[in-house]
Amino acid sequence: MGVIMDYINAFWVGGLICALVQILLEKTKLMPGRVMVILVCLGAVLGSVGLYDKLIDFAGAGASVPLLGFGNTLWKGVKEAIDDHGFLGLFEGGLKASAVGISAALIFSYIASWIFKPKMKE
């Protein structure tokens, strides 16, 4: 039963995050790019005050996969790099922590472009 509850919690928390973002997009005049920046920054802030790790412990991938999770990953990388390298860690920590995810997105997008033959919108 524990594994099933993990899936259910991941599903409803991830769905709630997505629904709240969709409401924000529909009810405000904020452009999607700005909403994405807000989500990444909110994830970093929640991580810095220790709340996001608790959410990830509860919801697993439902909390770590959305853009909030990316912001939290950046925060963790920067914090660790600052602890290890001081001020210069500000510049390397976020990139180092998120490099695998960013690389995977680029590689899979490139492969998808071979398969699906993208076209420009007219």
Side-chain angles (χ1 to χ4, degrees), residues 22-94:
Q22 190 63 43
I23 291 168
L24 184 65
L25 285 168
E26 296 290 328
K27 298 295 181 185
T28 67
K29 293 184 180 187
L30 290 172
M31 299 299 289
R34 292 185 184 195
V35 172
M36 291 170 54
V37 170
I38 289 169
L39 291 171
V40 171
C41 291
L42 183 61
V45 169
L46 290 173
S48 70
V49 297
L51 294 176
Y52 210 78
D53 284 337
K54 292 175 184 167
L55 183 61
I56 290 175
D57 289 342
F58 175 74
S64 64
V65 172
L67 280 173
L68 290 168
F70 181 67
N72 184 53
T73 299
L74 290 175
W75 159 251
K76 284 181 179 179
V78 168
K79 183 179 182 304
E80 183 179 312
I82 289 173
D83 291 344
D84 292 344
H85 304 286
F87 180 74
L88 291 178
L90 276 172
F91 305 104
E92 72 178 62

